[in-house]
């Protein structure tokens, strides 16, 4: 299936979790937050939340600004 | 002790810093240290795997409380999602609510801002909204449960100072939550004026981060905020049309 991670399309195996999607970008688990299709997925649910085809995953962190 | 209190939390410094515009994390670190700030904003963006160092590390090392903002949002929906992501990533329910109307002026959109503020207050956030210098909107946001109001002095990054001091005074007179002058500060006298007008704090970034010597300007801003606050508390003399002798006129 195809999922979008921070705007880039990725071919991933069925059953891929949010945690696995995050690990394609970073090993960090603190200072990072995830939304799937504009809904926040809390960190405690990353391992148990499976992605679906065409899901949009956004992985955000704090940067300089404001 | 003359402390700034926002949502029950006490701050000795009345200078809130932003982090945008600094040429490097090292320069930012030195400027934050010189400013004496205890509360500093960060933005939320897509994680860049190639990024080296983090603004969060700088704040943590300096023991500065992080204030995530919703910079870059144009709608209430975007701002609410960004605030929730920031709460998840940073473990704070504080948010500087910033919903921009257009990219040319970067002026805050009052309708979207109010909508987002109501939703975030209902969701348990400590909401600090960035707004125009509009006394009516400031009052409505306070009534909606915001922990402070943050009117602009002038557009973001413009360095034009406080364009409508009268409106800032009107906001201060009516507010029972802290008023933070946010955006438009160009130099130290602007920050001092904000405090003399009765603002409880000043939030600035560009004036320091894009100064030729950021650390020196940060120190200047620290002094200006302190001096302005002291002048406000001291009570200035009334303005007079003619001279008033300070020495006895008779021999």
């Amino acid at each position: 299936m195809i999922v979008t991670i921070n705007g880039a399309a990725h071919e991933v195996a069925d059953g891929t979790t949010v945690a696995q999607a995050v690990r394609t970008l970073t090993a960090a688990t603190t200072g990072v937050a995830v939304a799937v299709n504009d809904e926040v997925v809390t960190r405690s649910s990353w391992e148990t939340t499976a992605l679906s085809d065409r899901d949009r995953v956004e992985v955000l962190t704090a940067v300089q600004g404001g | 002790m003359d402390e700034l209190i926002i949502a029950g939390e006490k701050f000795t410094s009345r200078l809130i810093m932003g982090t945008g515009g600094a040429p490097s994390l090292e320069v930012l670190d030195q400027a934050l240290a010189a400013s004496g700030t205890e509360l500093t904003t960060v933005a939320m963006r897509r994680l860049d795997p190639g990024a080296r160092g983090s603004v969060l590390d700088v704040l943590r090392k300096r023991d500065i409380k992080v204030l995530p903002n919703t910079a870059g949002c144009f709608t209430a929906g975007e701002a609410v999602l960004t605030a929730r992501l920031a709460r998840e990533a940073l473990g704070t329910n504080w948010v500087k609510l910033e919903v921009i109307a257009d990219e040319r002026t970067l002026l805050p959109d009052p309708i979207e801002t109010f909508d987002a503020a109501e939703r975030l207050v209902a969701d348990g956030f400590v909401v600090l909204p960035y707004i125009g210098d509009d006394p009516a909107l400031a009052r409505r946001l306070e009534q909606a449960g915001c922990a402070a109001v943050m009117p602009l002095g002038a557009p973001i990054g413009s360095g034009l100072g406080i364009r409508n001091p009268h409106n800032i005074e009107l906001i201060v007179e009516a507010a029972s939550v802290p008023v933070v002058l946010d955006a438009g500060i160009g130099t130290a006298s602007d920050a001092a004026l904000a405090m003399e007008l009765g603002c409880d704090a000043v939030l600035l970034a560009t004036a320091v981060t894009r100064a030729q010597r950021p650390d020196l300007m940060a120190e200047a801003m620290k002094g200006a905020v302190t001096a302005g606050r002291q002048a406000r508390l001291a009570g200035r003399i009334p303005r007079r049309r003619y001279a008033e002798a300070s020495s006895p006129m008779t021999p």
Side-chain angles (χ1 to χ4, degrees), chain B:
Chain B
M1 194 69 178
D2 178 39
E3 288 166 321
L4 168 67
I5 302 175
I6 302 175
E9 200 154 327
K10 294 176 181 172
F11 301 91
T12 306
S13 168
R14 291 177 178 271
L15 179 54
I16 304 171
M17 290 290 291
T19 53
S24 71
L25 286 176
E26 289 73 25
V27 170
L28 178 66
D29 180 53
Q30 291 305 309
L32 292 178
S35 76
T37 188
E38 296 166 331
L39 182 63
T40 292
T41 65
V42 297
M44 299 299 296
R45 288 291 179 275
R46 282 176 173 169
L47 189 146
D48 172 8
R52 291 220 313 274
S54 164
V55 66
L56 290 178
D57 295 335
V58 173
L59 299 187
R60 198 175 300 121
K61 194 179 75 182
R62 295 283 178 193
D63 199 24
I64 297 170
K65 181 180 172 76
V66 62
L67 176 60
N69 65 31
T70 61
C73 293
F74 288 84
T75 66
E78 288 170 12
V80 169
L81 175 59
T82 301
R84 288 178 176 152
L85 285 163
R87 178 169 64 182
E88 174 71 10
L90 308 177
T92 177
N93 64 344
W94 286 42
V95 64
K96 173 187 165 181
L97 175 60
E98 182 176 340
V99 189
I100 296 304
D102 68 83
E103 284 185 15
R104 190 174 62 85
T105 67
L106 298 179
L107 288 171
D109 183 318
I111 311 295
E112 297 295 323
T113 301
F114 188 81
D115 181 10
E118 284 190 316
R119 289 155 70 175
L120 289 169
V121 167
D123 197 12
F125 281 89
V126 172
V127 182
L128 292 75
Y130 166 61
I131 57 172
D133 52 10
D134 178 351
L137 178 61
R139 194 164 57 239
R140 290 292 296 268
L141 284 164
E142 179 182 339
Q143 288 165 353
C146 290
V149 290
M150 308 212 294
L152 56 72
I156 292 171
S158 68
L160 289 171
I162 300 174
R163 306 307 291 174
N164 195 339
H166 180 63
N167 270 22
I168 298 298
E169 282 184 312
L170 289 177
I171 292 170
V172 166
E173 277 172 25
S176 44
V177 293
V179 177
V180 181
L181 196 289
D182 183 2
I185 299 290
T187 188
S189 53
D190 299 329
L193 175 60
M195 299 307 291
E196 288 170 8
L197 292 172
C199 292
D200 296 279
V202 171
L203 195 165
L204 60 90
T206 312
V208 162
T209 58
R210 294 208 211 280
Q212 294 195 14
R213 290 181 56 188
D215 56 339
L216 189 55
M217 186 60 89
E219 196 179 330
M221 292 299 184
K222 177 185 182 180
V225 167
T226 302
R229 175 67 180 174
Q230 288 170 332
R232 172 74 180 188
L233 294 177
R236 60 151 300 150
I237 60 166
R239 292 178 172 84
R240 294 179 196 279
R241 193 166 174 79
Y242 300 106
E244 183 173 82
S246 57
S247 313
M249 295 298 281
T250 47

Side-chain angles (χ1 to χ4, degrees), chain A residues 4-8 57-61 63, chain B residues 44-48:
Chain A
T4 306
I5 304 173
N6 280 359
V57 183
E58 293 287 331
V59 184
L60 274 72
T61 191
V63 300
Chain B
M44 299 299 296
R45 288 291 179 275
R46 282 176 173 169
L47 189 146
D48 172 8

